[in-house]
Amino acid sequence: DISGSFSDNYRLNNYISIGSNLIPQIDNRRSLFNKSHLVSTNNLWSLNKNFDITSQISYLNNRTENNSQSETQYFLIDGTVTSVADEHGNEKQNQLLANITLKSNTSNHYIENKLSTDIRWDNLNNGISGTYPNNQMAKLPYRKVSDNIEVIKRFGKKIYTFYSYNMYQQKPQHLTVERTANIQQQNVSSSAFFTHTHTSLAFIFKPITISMKVGIIGTFRDMKSNLS
């Protein structure tokens, strides 16, 4: 695999997350409450006898809440230490997916161009009161746009092909932690551009086919972090 670690499935890392202190003895199905909504549409348009356009668009909205109370006692030689925590967390997820494809398939050519986008904006909040009160808030948006085009054209005994997949991702992340009068913030911004493009020309000399191919595969990445 000449692409090595590069692939069409390349994803940016998650540098910020908020964990809830859920009670391990209770199943998540009995400690999480959510409301989900999904809207989806699919369409097909025929431009002419050779070209068609299809579209798939969906929107997902999901809200999850959790509540827990705990009291922990540490029995020491010189006494007992008690820790109390009352936690309330919620997560709001929104995702918009869209795919638009142009396709043409005839006896002498094949053309397909697929434009895709994935947009998410997630907000997480987790508040704890008790012995060690603190409040955590995270904003985790994500944006991805990709275009995939493939062309196969035949000229007599010659076949020309062109393939190009280009993808751009952006994931800015923000975390705020409040503890009494102390406020800490973490900002991480990451982005990546991936390209896999190649073209080839083949000559048919039955029963032999000779082809030449040239292309490029690369990923350009950037990450910045700031803590205040």
Side-chain angles (χ1 to χ4, degrees):
D1 182 10
I2 62 173
S3 63
S5 61
F6 302 143
S7 69
D8 298 354
N9 296 321
Y10 177 81
R11 292 292 181 270
L12 294 173
N13 293 326
N14 292 319
Y15 297 100
I16 291 178
S17 64
I18 293 180
S20 300
N21 296 326
L22 298 178
I23 301 175
Q25 290 81 8
I26 300 179
D27 189 274
N28 287 343
R29 292 176 297 177
R30 300 185 180 276
S31 60
L32 294 176
F33 305 91
N34 76 303
K35 295 180 180 179
S36 300
H37 304 86
L38 174 65
V39 179
S40 179
T41 176
N42 297 271
N43 297 277
L44 170 63
W45 296 277
S46 179
L47 300 181
N48 51 47
K49 64 178 182 179
N50 294 329
F51 285 89
D52 294 328
I53 293 181
T54 59
S55 69
Q56 298 175 330
I57 302 174
S58 61
Y59 169 73
L60 171 66
N61 173 266
N62 182 51
R63 177 184 175 91
T64 304
E65 295 186 5
N66 68 81
N67 296 275
S68 66
Q69 293 179 334
S70 63
E71 179 177 333
T72 305
Q73 292 183 335
Y74 301 92
F75 298 96
L76 308 177
I77 297 178
D78 54 350
T80 302
V81 177
T82 302
S83 175
V84 179
D86 186 357
E87 179 178 347
H88 172 73
N90 65 78
E91 179 178 0
K92 300 177 182 178
Q93 297 176 314
N94 293 275
Q95 183 179 22
L96 177 64
L97 293 171
N99 296 313
I100 300 177
T101 304
L102 173 67
K103 181 181 291 187
S104 175
N105 191 5
T106 66
S107 58
N108 62 353
H109 77 261
Y110 174 81
I111 300 174
E112 182 178 5
N113 189 11
K114 183 177 181 181
L115 179 65
S116 304
T117 181
D118 183 359
I119 302 176
R120 309 177 189 180
W121 52 102
D122 298 343
N123 295 323
L124 292 84
N125 295 276
N126 193 54
I128 300 176
S129 60
T131 307
Y132 306 103
N134 69 84
N135 188 36
Q136 304 175 58
M137 297 169 288
K139 296 181 179 180
L140 308 174
Y142 172 72
R143 293 178 283 271
K144 171 190 171 184
V145 179
S146 64
D147 183 72
N148 190 355
I149 182 171
E150 184 176 4
V151 178
I152 303 175
K153 180 68 176 179
R154 181 164 185 167
F155 303 92
K157 294 185 178 181
K158 294 183 293 184
I159 299 177
Y160 170 76
T161 62
F162 176 79
Y163 174 86
S164 180
Y165 179 83
N166 298 278
M167 174 179 61
Y168 177 75
Q169 300 179 68
Q170 188 180 45
K171 182 177 285 188
Q173 303 174 66
H174 178 77
L175 172 65
T176 300
V177 179
E178 297 180 354
R179 295 176 179 172
T180 59
N182 184 18
I183 298 179
Q184 297 179 345
Q185 293 183 337
Q186 174 80 33
N187 294 284
V188 180
S189 177
S190 60
S191 62
F193 174 75
F194 172 82
T195 180
H196 182 188
T197 302
H198 62 79
T199 182
S200 65
L201 181 62
F203 300 89
I204 301 175
F205 305 100
K206 292 184 178 180
I208 299 174
T209 299
I210 300 175
S211 63
M212 297 171 290
K213 180 179 179 181
V214 62
I216 182 175
I217 299 176
T219 300
F220 305 88
R221 294 172 286 191
D222 179 73
M223 194 274 280
K224 298 178 180 178
S225 177
N226 178 54
L227 174 66
S228 62

